[in-house]
Amino acid sequence: MDVAQRSAARPVRSAVVVNPVKVDDLDDFRASVDGTLTAAGWPAPRWYQTTPEEPGRSQTAAAVAAGAEIVFVAGGDGTILSAVSALVGTDTAMAVLPAGTGNLLAANLGLSTDVAAGLEVALEGGLRRLDVGEVDGQHFTVMAGMGFDARMLDGTSDTAKARFGWPAYVVGALRHIRDRRMNVTVRIDGGEPIRRKAQTVLVANVGRLQGGVRLLTQARPDDGLLDVAILTPRLLRHWLALGWAVLRRKERVPSMEVFRGTRVEIASDRAQPRQLDGDLIQIGRLLDVQVQPKALWMCVPQPADHPDLAEDADAAAERGHRLAKPATTA
């Protein structure tokens, strides 16, 4: 019996990997999750807490070893990133319970910071094998980047994110919008080098940024390809034109070129901040990304095969809140 068939059966063995720093009241959070799953006929999940030294990979691996068919991951981008690397290549599915200010994967699933929606998505059994990207043994589900995007993340404090949510990133962006561009060489699938003066290069599996903004409208999570966006704005007016086109979902975006491939090698003329799924990694001059096709089972909103992973997220949230009422009032 494969994972999709098992998830449709009852009961389903599950686990929760939670970053306690990202949850305001861990006892209340646990009672709500346990109560919602119990109300749906599932057994109570095993619980694993992350630590600064062990941010989620070992806990997720332990959950898999203990027989979990679904691992709920509650935390920010770093927690998700760590859990993904433990789940790649296994038959255990991941479900996102966004905590704190949310994360990029939650944004692409349309979940924002809605825990009830995350639970409902798993309970309804929508499962899909997603591609993942790999960089130096680490895996990501949304996008990797070098340059401006990573500087923006570095320039946004946790305090600001906790207070304002994703709009806090706007402040971080404004701090670096006039930064000197980098000279980059991009090589896709071993082809001819592409040389540009760029602010940032993004390698994406799906196309949404923080706040649900779709930067790459043609990106698909399971097509075996990575979308490569090279952003080259030089002046403020270039940034404004780029942003306006993205918000209006234009097919052609000024100061942005898009390519596709299975392996992307990016080399900069100087060391740059780098990020995976919104989590900063060590600065460097190189970013070597390759795709692992259909390597991760993911709990997704229905219909599970829709090109947009967030297609039914709002309706799932409404159903989830109705189911969660007995758990939160008990």
Side-chain angles (χ1 to χ4, degrees):
M1 184 182 297
D2 66 20
V3 69
Q5 292 172 316
R6 290 204 313 265
S7 73
R10 297 294 186 268
V12 173
R13 298 186 302 275
S14 66
V16 180
V17 173
V18 59
N19 181 346
V21 175
K22 297 292 185 178
V23 177
D24 292 334
D25 187 329
L26 185 58
D27 290 337
D28 183 65
F29 180 78
R30 180 168 182 164
S32 179
V33 172
D34 286 352
T36 300
L37 295 180
T38 300
W42 288 25
R46 291 175 178 259
W47 284 76
Y48 302 83
Q49 291 188 37
T50 69
T51 66
E53 297 76 24
E54 295 289 341
R57 186 167 185 167
S58 63
Q59 294 89 340
T60 305
V64 173
E69 298 166 83
I70 291 177
V71 175
F72 293 94
V73 183
D77 292 310
T79 311
I80 296 289
L81 192 71
S82 297
V84 166
S85 289
L87 291 171
V88 163
T90 74
D91 281 335
T92 301
M94 180 168 74
V96 176
L97 299 181
T101 57
N103 50 65
L104 275 175
L105 181 56
N108 278 274
L109 292 168
L111 301 180
S112 182
T113 57
D114 196 331
V115 172
L119 290 166
E120 183 66 15
V121 164
L123 290 169
E124 291 182 356
L127 281 167
R128 187 166 177 177
R129 276 193 183 272
L130 302 188
D131 303 334
V132 299
E134 181 181 358
V135 175
D136 298 332
Q138 296 186 77
H139 301 88
F140 66 91
T141 56
V142 181
M143 64 181 63
M146 171 188 279
F148 170 82
D149 61 306
R151 289 194 296 272
M152 175 192 70
L153 293 168
D154 193 32
T156 307
S157 69
D158 289 339
T159 301
K161 287 187 288 185
R163 184 174 181 181
F164 301 111
W166 70 263
Y169 290 105
V170 175
V171 177
L174 291 175
R175 290 175 179 165
H176 296 284
I177 204 166
R178 296 183 181 275
D179 285 1
R180 180 164 63 100
R181 294 183 296 177
M182 55 185 177
N183 293 310
V184 294
T185 300
V186 180
R187 193 184 297 270
I188 301 172
D189 293 337
E192 290 296 317
I194 303 166
R195 295 184 173 88
R196 297 288 187 271
K197 284 185 175 292
Q199 283 285 3
T200 192
V201 181
L202 297 170
V203 183
N205 185 43
V206 289
R208 277 189 170 87
L209 304 175
Q210 289 287 3
V213 175
R214 294 196 73 178
L215 178 69
L216 294 161
T217 58
Q218 300 303 312
R220 297 292 181 266
D222 53 4
D223 60 2
L225 296 172
L226 297 167
D227 285 49
V228 185
I230 304 177
L231 278 64
T232 59
R234 183 171 60 89
L235 302 173
L236 178 59
R237 60 184 174 86
H238 299 152
W239 279 110
L240 292 173
L242 186 157
W244 182 243
V246 169
L247 290 173
R248 297 181 66 191
R249 298 189 179 184
K250 293 290 187 180
E251 290 189 13
R252 298 188 63 181
V253 177
S255 303
M256 185 174 84
E257 296 174 274
V258 179
F259 305 89
R260 302 181 114 191
T262 60
R263 181 171 183 179
V264 184
E265 301 165 89
I266 306 165
S268 170
D269 60 336
R270 61 190 189 277
Q272 296 290 334
R274 306 180 302 164
Q275 61 86 15
L276 303 180
D277 279 358
D279 198 50
L280 291 167
I281 60 174
Q282 186 176 8
I283 65 171
R285 292 184 59 248
L286 304 175
L287 190 66
D288 190 344
V289 189
Q290 52 190 335
V291 71
Q292 291 192 15
K294 300 184 185 301
L296 175 71
W297 279 107
M298 189 75 214
C299 296
V300 300
Q302 300 279 18
D305 59 351
H306 195 279
D308 184 356
L309 291 175
E311 175 66 14
D312 191 48
D314 290 342
E318 292 181 9
R319 294 189 293 272
H321 282 291
R322 288 198 297 270
L323 180 62
K325 283 182 181 181
T328 57
T329 59

